[in-house]
Amino acid sequence: MTIRTRFAPSPTGHVHIGNMRAAIFNWLYARHTGGEFLLRVEDTDRERSTPEAIKTLLEAMDWLGLNVDEAPLYQSTRMDAHLAAAERLLATGHAYKEDKGGTGQGECIIFKMPGTDIEFTDLVKGTLKKTAADMADFVIVRSNGTPVFHLANVLDDIEQKITHVIRGDDHVENTFRHIALYKALGAPVPEFAHLPMIINAQGKPYSKRDGDAFVGDFQSKGFFGDALFNYLALLGWSPGDEREVMTRQEMIDAFDLVTVRSSPAQMDSRKLLWMNGEYMRAMKPADFSALCRNELFAAGVKPGCSADAVFALMQERTKLPSEIVPATAFFFSDDFEYDQKAVEKKLAKPETFQTLEKIAGILQTLEAFDSETVNKALHDFVEQGGLKFGDVMPPLRIAVSGQQSGPDLAPVLAILGKETVLARIRGTIVRFNV
RNA sequence: GACCCCAUCGUUCAGCGGUUAGGACACUAGGUUUUCAUCCUGGUAACACGGGUUCGAUUCCCGUUGGGGUCACCA
């Protein structure tokens, strides 16, 4: 039997990471077992299900590399089937009509629970059971004639031949009802796996109202889909050894539902950032260069001919693409900003300017201006002058870049070139030595 | 409140009766011929509590506490 899993979001607004993590686990399980991963768009809430929301959803899945094996099923196209099933349930005595609560809204169709205890083995949580007394009958078709989630969800899972329902922890209570529905419908009951919730910094699960957990936000902040995927896969699951940064294939090979933890996990954005940096460093230099060029282009900065050398310096220290422009702008324009705090801190003493003056004098005499030559000159200067690197390098760095941190200084100077370096040092002296 | 679930460093993932309780992120000390957001080497830091079972419990059982989920004509 081919294993079939599905992701069944309702496209109301943006998808948050809790939902998307469920999609990732569904995808991983399908890929691991050689099965199929499907998408069902539960768009019956016409008010909130907009074409834009669906587009956003599809883009997010594409960004994360969650490819599906069949065309998506749109739940809104299935209403007739849902209603027909309700009629069947009525006919077989599994449901009844009632004006529930006597509201005068008319009669709705209510599913009759079997009156027996229900038990199932959840692939991640183990055996779960519920006694008959704790389960009440529930509405499956509203008095306005529209099907309710439980009915639609189960019928569509049957329609899509879903063998493993992998969803959030918040659905465990529904499962007992759904199992009763499957049985009443004469359909085979699938396996269930309920994933622990991902909680936010406040310890609460991410919800539709959680403003900063939309998948699209991570994309627009410059995170890589692969990095987010990797990070999210590790929330509640591990390959069983100490690997963390893994390829898709490694995750697919190692993934299993029984090794998923059953306690909630909190998202750590710092670790996500670290992981993004890992992916950044793993990029091919040419791809990283292209990324940099795009960033710079978008910011209206024109990278010069030495750009690739600059990017090579940046790759190992960049975690997010958004860091590129502010960190490299000084390479491509003499019109850069000085970090005010850095200036106040490191360019305060008069002797600092004397030092800069001397450095400029030394650099001017160099015939070659490559990284090694510059490096040696700087070191000799520090040693012979009995100075400290901490008194020399930071001011020099600020003088040529306006910043107090960055890549190795010697290669930075080499890339900038002698003329530029001398001009900037002297410009800095004139500007700040008051 | 009722029903259900969960409980190892600040966070995350290991550990599945006997371990100096491990890795990663974060933090921190030092190193990379005393610059630097990378890299390397160290360090701080956890089994919620109380009962059992056992020769022996982080690990098994029960309870307490704490956290979470669900109790809709939402999905």
Side-chain angles (χ1 to χ4, degrees):
Chain A
M1 182 186 67
T2 304
I3 285 176
R4 286 163 68 91
T5 67
R6 52 51 166 194
F7 176 44
S10 56
T12 55
H14 300 277
V15 204
H16 60 82
I17 54 168
N19 275 149
M20 207 42 99
R21 204 274 306 255
I24 288 172
F25 280 34
N26 271 284
W27 185 90
L28 278 171
Y29 192 64
R31 296 292 168 256
H32 174 76
T33 57
E36 288 153 358
F37 172 68
L38 314 184
L39 171 66
R40 181 168 71 247
V41 182
E42 302 207 330
D43 59 345
T44 51
D45 189 336
R46 286 284 166 65
E47 301 278 312
R48 293 183 293 173
S49 300
T50 63
E52 296 80 64
I54 292 172
K55 187 162 167 275
T56 306
L57 166 72
L58 263 19
E59 283 173 354
M61 290 182 68
D62 185 54
W63 178 60
L64 286 165
L66 300 174
N67 59 315
V68 297
D69 297 304
E70 286 178 10
L73 176 64
Y74 289 85
Q75 191 162 70
S76 56
T77 65
R78 298 259 308 145
M79 195 173 345
D80 290 347
H82 299 159
L83 263 17
E87 288 302 326
R88 234 181 307 137
L89 255 13
L90 235 24
T92 53
H94 288 292
Y96 55 93
K97 288 186 174 181
E98 185 184 301
D99 178 6
K100 199 181 174 194
T103 54
Q105 293 174 58
E107 292 189 317
C108 52
I109 300 177
I110 297 175
F111 179 75
K112 194 196 302 176
M113 287 299 281
T116 56
D117 295 355
I118 295 178
E119 178 178 313
F120 71 99
T121 301
D122 188 286
L123 263 20
V124 346
K125 303 176 90 70
T127 301
L128 265 20
K129 62 185 117 183
K130 197 109 176 163
T131 52
D134 287 321
M135 296 180 287
D137 296 351
F138 59 96
V139 175
I140 51 176
V141 176
R142 301 185 187 86
S143 53
N144 68 4
T146 58
V148 166
F149 163 74
H150 303 292
L151 213 218
N153 186 266
V154 167
L155 276 164
D156 291 349
D157 278 339
I158 294 170
E159 169 71 16
Q160 290 189 293
K161 299 183 172 60
I162 302 303
T163 61
H164 290 66
V165 174
I166 304 167
R167 70 219 316 193
D169 225 346
D170 51 338
H171 282 292
V172 287
E173 300 291 327
N174 291 334
T175 304
F176 297 99
R177 301 198 263 220
H178 292 183
I179 287 172
L181 227 27
Y182 277 102
K183 287 181 173 164
L185 256 6
V189 180
E191 296 289 328
F192 290 94
H194 289 95
L195 275 16
M197 303 272 91
I198 296 182
I199 57 183
N200 60 25
Q202 287 72 46
K204 302 285 182 189
Y206 283 110
S207 74
K208 296 161 184 110
R209 290 173 290 284
D210 240 308
D212 64 3
F214 295 141
V215 176
D217 291 343
F218 291 98
Q219 184 176 14
S220 56
K221 282 177 190 159
F223 285 94
F224 296 123
D226 282 340
L228 215 217
F229 181 107
N230 195 159
Y231 178 75
L232 253 19
L234 256 23
L235 239 34
W237 173 79
S238 83
D241 49 43
E242 287 170 350
R243 285 176 294 164
E244 292 202 313
V245 178
M246 289 184 279
T247 63
R248 267 315 147 101
Q249 194 56 48
E250 285 175 323
M251 288 187 267
I252 290 170
D253 291 342
F255 190 79
D256 199 354
L257 288 171
V258 296
T259 55
V260 172
R261 291 191 106 224
S262 55
S263 50
Q266 192 173 92
M267 168 124 192
D268 182 357
S269 55
R270 289 172 306 183
K271 186 154 184 177
L272 203 214
L273 185 61
W274 163 78
M275 187 162 279
N276 209 62
E278 291 293 305
Y279 277 80
M280 191 75 83
R281 268 175 256 151
M283 286 177 92
K284 289 188 202 133
D287 292 339
F288 181 73
S289 287
L291 175 69
C292 291
R293 283 176 199 283
N294 281 340
E295 287 293 315
L296 291 165
F297 179 77
V301 179
K302 280 188 190 145
C305 54
S306 57
D308 283 336
V310 172
F311 301 150
L313 244 32
M314 290 305 298
Q315 183 163 4
E316 69 173 17
R317 58 208 306 124
T318 303
K319 288 179 176 156
L320 278 182
S322 57
E323 297 165 8
I324 294 167
V325 171
T328 64
F330 74 87
F331 278 109
F332 309 117
S333 165
D334 289 326
D335 185 26
F336 57 87
E337 299 278 323
Y338 283 87
D339 177 336
Q340 209 43 49
K341 280 183 185 165
V343 169
E344 284 167 20
K345 219 170 125 186
K346 303 287 185 182
L347 294 183
K349 301 181 203 160
E351 48 274 33
T352 300
F353 295 99
Q354 291 167 18
T355 303
L356 286 176
E357 194 80 62
K358 287 181 197 163
I359 293 173
I362 289 169
L363 294 178
Q364 190 161 25
T365 65
L366 296 179
E367 300 202 353
F369 208 74
D370 58 278
S371 176
E372 281 174 28
T373 307
V374 170
N375 192 41
K376 186 173 186 312
L378 253 22
H379 276 73
D380 287 349
F381 172 72
V382 169
E383 271 176 40
Q384 287 162 18
L387 300 165
K388 287 183 176 177
F389 273 68
D391 290 329
V392 175
M393 301 302 228
L396 180 54
R397 181 187 293 283
I398 294 166
V400 300
S401 73
Q403 300 170 6
Q404 59 182 334
S405 62
D408 275 343
L409 201 42
V412 167
L413 298 182
I415 290 171
L416 250 18
K418 194 198 238 183
E419 297 309 313
T420 303
V421 169
L422 294 178
R424 287 191 184 177
I425 291 175
R426 286 171 177 146
T428 299
I429 293 171
V430 170
R431 179 164 170 179
F432 295 106
N433 189 14
V434 282

